[in-house]
Amino acid sequence: MPELVLELNGRTWTLDPSRTYTLGRDPQGDIVLDDARVSWRHATISWVGRSWVIEDHGSTNGTFAQGQRIHQMEIGPGSAVHLGNASDGPRVTVSGTAAAVSTPQAQPQQQPYAAQGAAPGWAQQAPPQQAPQQHAAPQAGWQQPQPQQAAAPIPQQHGPGGGAGAPPVYGDRSPTTFHQFSIGRVMRIGRALENELVVSDLQVSRHHAEFHSTPDGRMEIRDLGSHNGTYVNGQPIPKGGSQLLGPADIVGVGHSTFRIVGDRLEEFVDTGEVSFSARHLTVTVDGGKQILKDVSFGVPEKSLIAVIGPSGSGKSTLLKALTGYRPANQGDVLYDNRNLYKQFAELRQRIGLVPQDDILHKELTVKKALKYAAKLRFPADTTAQERENRIDEVLRELKLDVHKEKKVTSLSGGQRKRVSVALELLTKPSLIFLDEPTSGLDPGMDRDVMQLLRGLADDGRTVLVVTHSVAELALCDKLLVMAPGGAVAYFGPPEEALNFFGYDTWADVFSAFENYRDYDWAGRWKGSQHYQMYAADIDAVAPQSVQMPPMQAMKPPKPQGWMSQLGTLVRRYVAVIASDKGFLALTVILPLVLGSVSLLIESGKDLLVNTEINPQTHQPVPNSTAQTVLLILAVGACFAGAANSVRELIKERVIYERERATGLSRSAYLMSKVFVLGFITVLQGLMVGMIGFASRGIPKEGLVLGHLTLLELCIPIMALGFTSMMFGLIISALVKTSEKTMPLLVMFAIVQVVFTGCLFALNGAIGVNQVSYLMPSRWAVAAAGATLDFNRISPPGKGKANDPLWEHTVGAWTMDMLALVALGVICAFFVARFLRRHEPEVMRK
């Protein structure tokens, strides 16, 4: 069995045929490649009995031999493959026999520095800085503390930090690759290997778009019905449409950007190493009050930035402004020198946001939760295997592969936060924002999460975290301190911050913020040497008012069709309910109890006749049992239906907001709730009606269904439960916390009791009767009452007219049921409108 000798970046390895070797970015791998285009575990090399074989393990950007993407290939002396890019990706060559090489075995590359206390396998981080000298607390009139030594000038940044004269696209970054054009040629872009220009990105459709060279020498881009859209200068072109291109136009497809220079097409692949800056962000609310004041800072690629500050300092407002969810009224946010606000439709796909609350269903296993998220976020033409490979890659990168079959609810707080990060990493965002990821975690988990973020930054991403914890700030590259009122009090290295404020601890700094709220913290910062070193070049640009892009440019593309999204959402919701044993038990027990309660009302008494005679008038006594039984059943159906849905939207609000921002259809989401909850509620209504009516005497012949009288009586109860479920969704969409749902649920049930028409006659009561038409219980009881002929067996009383809704006619029964259905439709309309309030397009206003 011959040994194999590999060469890569000037180093050599000798491979032993008795074992398999892994290539990738994983520091624990055998051959480590520090290149963002290479996947975490990109490929393996092994001896298969007669030859050496290199096998690609579902890498994102592919393995190439002679310009062709390969999945498995025999290799030997003279072979060469590129990883991550066919032309300039890391080149692995097989040079010859083992006799010429002294290295006995493949060794992983040594990392220059490992974080103290970090879990094995984390990417390297910068060595810790020397702690600054501590200063005594200053007196009331602070004097600016001088830094211990003059800091070196900041090197010129690529992109947004590059000053006013920076080129418009990617600073001075070189194109990833070039493509030549000729007159009349068509160059198709897509994920499939048969395209002329293959983009190995799951955000790109298999056949995404085409470049056309027109006879007059102009260029045109045509969208081929892509799922995630084709963009020109950050604005989407119509699905299936086309647009002529000028010499300065930029075409965006997934994580790739194209620019035409002469007869050459330049491609820039966003590998995650992007710079980011905010310039003069100011947010003004009603009344002219500024809650964010002239915030400017800039960070280079592969940076971790922490934002801290007391309550009321505008941290959440800043996060919304930086992500584009609520743009600032003045100022710019630049993503690699591209204006995020003006090109939000395209760039939003490259931004990951992890809210403070978990953005996943805790009842599902880790892998199943990621599977449904990937199904919703990736284009419809991605295969299950492609999604599976990406999920496995992210799980390995975040060390979650050992927990993938565990339910999210069984994980520790730090592990759950990792899963939320994993969900965002599925689409390979270059910029990741996190809002209070360590909130509620103990110090050990706090450190674990911050080391995770340090590793993400070192792996080629820009990470910004808003936090209250100050224990692990040394892991960050830069620290942004917000003062009360939304102004910047400090921006720079975290190890120099306490020295800048002149205090020993952060507790002293925050106390000073509280005790001196009127102090000009921003003025002190701008008059400091730290400002000149770390922010003056960013702040030199004049602020500009933000012009909102058109609504169609703000709406996210829908990676999946409506029916596909609905199917995925229904399957996920069923899986969530099926894993919640307590909810399943309650859905069965509740209708059994509510139906059984009605059996206590004069058990066995018929509902269709007057069985008692008044001895004085010698007339039949009204059968009050029928109305009492129907009242109990109606209230039970109302309560069960509303209880099923009253918490559903509020408990998933954070998940909905994030998924909506990535292209989730509002109507598909709402219909998934209506379909699943409606099915459960209708079955509960059938159980309640069967128990309440089956043991009593009922008419042998119904109004509508003939001999199926029992079913005819159950249908109004089932419809009442469904409509009450829709009312429950309205409550869930309106409230801000789950705790407020229960009082509203009880109030809803009590109101339905009053307006059933069983306690007192509603017909003829001016005002009250008209209000009752808005109550589902009124129409459901009327429909059942029409079947039982309430006007005959339980007349309204002397001198009162019969209730027209109780008439023993097919017309009355049909009208009652149609009114009940109409109420449900109206409720669905209002739920959709209330859901809209929590969507990025509305929040951006």
Side-chain angles (χ1 to χ4, degrees), residues 86 132 143 152 277 294 302 413 519 533 557 612 619 709 723 742 775 837:
Q143 297 297 319
S277 68
D294 199 26
K302 290 188 177 183
Y519 184 77
M533 289 189 290
E612 298 182 12
Q619 296 293 324
T709 310
T723 306
M742 293 313 296
M775 306 299 164
R837 298 182 308 163

Side-chain angles (χ1 to χ4, degrees), residues 357-363 369-370 408 416 419-420 423 655:
D357 297 324
D358 293 328
I359 49 176
L360 35 85
H361 294 85
K362 299 179 182 179
E363 300 85 357
L370 294 180
V408 176
R416 284 202 302 272
V419 179
S420 293
L423 191 151
I655 299 175

Side-chain angles (χ1 to χ4, degrees), residues 610-622:
N610 309 76
T611 56
E612 298 182 12
I613 301 298
N614 189 321
Q616 296 179 351
T617 62
H618 302 286
Q619 296 293 324
V621 177

Side-chain angles (χ1 to χ4, degrees), residues 93 159 169 293 332 346 387 419 436 438 447 475 564 589 651 659 699 718 720 737 744 762 774 787 789 791:
T93 60
V169 180
K293 300 178 181 178
D332 295 308
E346 177 188 354
R387 295 193 297 269
V419 179
E436 300 286 356
T438 61
R447 181 177 61 185
L475 292 174
S564 178
I589 294 174
K651 75 179 184 181
E659 290 184 343
M718 296 157 64
L720 174 59
T737 62
L744 293 175
L762 292 173
L774 301 175
T787 299
D789 196 4
N791 283 331

Side-chain angles (χ1 to χ4, degrees), residues 119 139 252 290 349 425 436 521 558 586 628 676 735 758 767 771:
Q139 302 299 318
Q290 291 185 342
Q349 302 180 49
L425 289 184
E436 300 286 356
W521 296 99
K558 293 180 172 55
L586 187 62
T628 305
V676 177
V735 297
C758 297
V771 172

Side-chain angles (χ1 to χ4, degrees), residues 635 638-639 642 646 727 731 734-735 740-755 775 777:
V635 172
C638 285
F639 187 82
V646 75
F727 270 93
I731 295 174
L734 280 174
V735 297
K740 295 179 180 179
T741 59
M742 293 313 296
L744 293 175
L745 173 62
V746 173
M747 182 181 70
F748 171 76
I750 292 176
V751 170
Q752 299 311 304
V753 172
V754 175
F755 288 99
M775 306 299 164
S777 62

Side-chain angles (χ1 to χ4, degrees), residues 251-266:
V251 177
V253 174
H255 287 81
S256 296
T257 306
F258 302 90
R259 177 172 58 183
I260 297 173
V261 180
D263 61 348
R264 189 174 67 178
L265 181 68
E266 296 182 348

